[in-house]
Amino acid sequence: MSEVSLGAVVSLAEATDMVEHVGEKVSFIFKGEMGIGKSAILSTLANRLGDAYRYVYAETQTFDTGDVSGCPFTELINGVKVTRFAPNILTGVHSDRPIFFMADEIGKAMRPVQNSLLRLFQSQKIGEYSLPNGSRVFGTTNLAVEGLSDHVQQHAQNRVSMVEVGKPGALIWLPWGMSNGIHPIVLAWVKKFPHCLASYKDGAGNPYISYPSKTEGAFVSPRSLENASHILWARGKLSDNAVSAALRGCVGDAAAADLMTFAHTFDRLPSWEATIADPTGCKVPTAQDFAANYVTVFSGIQLVDKTTLTPFMTYLKRLPKEYQGVFALNIQASPKRGVAQSNRTFINWTVENEWMI
């Protein structure tokens, strides 16, 4: 009987929980693929815990030794002039509240900087100064196999818990995207091609992602998809050529070509105003036009409110049943969940189609 392998990789949510609930006693360094959102752990903690703490971001790959060890000054003690060191304000050691100190890109930091930070990770001290009680210290780094010169010495690893964070797949990323204003074209494309957020560990041949030591240039990651969203939101002010070039610079050639196809599909769809004004007569996509159907669904999720959900449901029922199900499942994972669950038309649809959800 084979054993279940637990604890090899955690999610970003699990990593955040570890820092919050264990980080006062154990410091963590989270390693993971490029662009998956490791640095966002700090902002997630800030949103979760609020002003009870101070949140300190340290981009350690840009630090020099003096940035950690401090600036020397002299003081007279018992008639002897001695040298002491004033810590950098960036460390947050002066805070009147407990701090969450994130040493971002710690694996790329110079060896003397890493060494200077060891006591901070182990004892929450910088020289003779201690962080406020209740503080947490954690770091992030990329995987060594990615060839980005990330390395944490073994004796340093022994002072912390080194934990690998997995790449968020489409099922995790889509709810985040719907909650954070990601353009519906990007959401629709990720829904149709979820392997765009697969890991290189899942196998070769994926045209969208980065493979260590093989990929050069742009590729799809949670971070680059967010950048692509910003570009698409500004599409009305840019030429198609500019949009395409900008997308290629974010997500690579294959993904940019796909997103432009979805964008041109978006242009063929009736406007939101026309859809709501005439939900029974407004043009609907053909069953074969998967791009148009996905874009319609995710545009609806982003745009509906209490006054427009009922007419949109009337329009939605004219789409193939599978896309109605995509809408129902995803709106309940979005910030519009409350709008949907208080709408009689939506409730009736879920009762009639319970087998789908």
Side-chain angles (χ1 to χ4, degrees):
M1 182 176 178
S2 61
E3 295 182 1
V4 178
S5 177
L6 296 177
V9 181
V10 301
S11 68
L12 286 167
E14 289 173 322
T16 305
D17 290 341
M18 291 160 73
V19 175
E20 179 184 356
H21 299 295
V22 190
E24 191 175 350
K25 300 296 184 182
V26 179
S27 294
F28 295 93
I29 294 179
F30 298 109
K31 57 183 180 179
E33 293 181 47
M34 292 179 282
I36 64 172
K38 300 182 296 297
S39 300
I41 292 173
L42 187 67
S43 58
T44 301
L45 286 164
N47 291 333
R48 179 186 295 182
L49 301 173
D51 293 336
Y53 297 87
R54 182 184 179 94
Y55 305 92
V56 178
Y57 172 85
E59 192 173 2
T60 57
Q61 65 178 334
T62 68
F63 276 20
D64 205 341
T65 310
D67 294 326
V68 182
S69 59
C71 181
F73 66 95
T74 59
E75 183 175 337
L76 196 64
I77 301 179
N78 295 329
V80 179
K81 186 177 287 188
V82 296
T83 301
R84 303 181 72 173
F85 290 85
N88 194 319
I89 192 172
L90 296 177
T91 62
V93 71
H94 62 291
S95 176
D96 59 351
R97 292 168 285 167
I99 73 170
F100 282 84
F101 181 95
M102 183 177 77
D104 200 22
E105 302 288 6
I106 183 65
K108 295 182 181 70
M110 296 187 298
R111 183 68 56 82
V113 172
Q114 288 192 19
N115 289 339
S116 297
L117 287 169
L118 289 181
R119 195 177 185 205
L120 183 64
F121 274 97
Q122 184 171 2
S123 306
Q124 299 190 354
K125 291 179 177 291
I126 299 175
E128 61 184 292
Y129 301 94
S130 298
L131 298 184
N133 290 335
S135 295
R136 281 91 159 156
V137 178
F138 68 101
T140 68
T141 190
N142 291 115
L143 300 175
V145 72
E146 292 181 293
L148 301 173
S149 302
D150 290 82
H151 178 67
V152 178
Q153 299 175 85
Q154 191 169 13
H155 76 281
Q157 293 187 35
N158 191 244
R159 301 181 186 219
V160 301
S161 175
M162 288 282 291
V163 180
E164 182 171 345
V165 179
K167 188 175 184 180
L171 287 176
I172 294 174
W173 186 83
L174 280 169
W176 178 90
M178 288 184 287
S179 300
N180 287 274
I182 297 298
H183 198 287
I185 288 173
V186 177
L187 297 172
W189 180 72
V190 172
K191 179 65 179 179
K192 177 60 181 175
F193 299 105
H195 61 290
C196 73
L197 285 173
S199 168
Y200 71 87
K201 298 177 181 180
D202 296 329
N206 189 326
Y208 303 121
I209 67 174
S210 174
Y211 288 92
S213 304
K214 295 181 180 179
T215 301
E216 293 185 4
F219 57 92
V220 174
S221 71
R223 178 169 57 200
S224 64
L225 285 174
E226 185 175 3
N227 287 335
S229 173
H230 293 315
I231 293 165
L232 288 168
W233 280 121
R235 184 168 167 248
K237 300 176 182 178
L238 303 172
S239 68
D240 253 18
N241 184 64
V243 172
S244 178
L247 289 174
R248 288 175 189 274
C250 282
V251 294
D253 291 351
D258 286 356
L259 286 169
M260 288 303 294
T261 298
F262 271 63
H264 292 146
T265 297
F266 183 83
D267 295 340
R268 300 197 309 268
L269 297 173
S271 69
W272 177 251
E273 292 76 15
T275 301
I276 298 306
D278 186 15
T280 59
C282 203
K283 182 181 178 181
V284 295
T286 64
Q288 295 74 30
D289 195 345
F290 65 83
N293 281 286
Y294 276 119
V295 171
T296 297
V297 164
F298 282 97
S299 295
I301 292 172
Q302 295 287 61
L303 295 171
V304 292
D305 56 27
K306 291 181 179 179
T307 62
T308 58
L309 181 53
T310 295
F312 183 74
M313 287 298 300
T314 301
Y315 181 80
L316 184 72
K317 290 176 183 178
R318 298 170 57 205
L319 270 61
K321 186 71 78 172
E322 64 185 282
Y323 297 105
Q324 297 178 39
V326 170
F327 176 85
L329 283 169
N330 283 278
I331 196 171
Q332 293 189 86
S334 80
K336 304 293 178 68
R337 177 189 178 103
V339 173
Q341 293 184 341
S342 62
N343 182 276
R344 178 52 55 187
T345 304
F346 180 83
I347 293 171
N348 290 340
W349 185 95
T350 59
V351 171
E352 294 168 5
N353 298 277
E354 184 179 4
W355 59 276
M356 293 189 70
I357 57 174

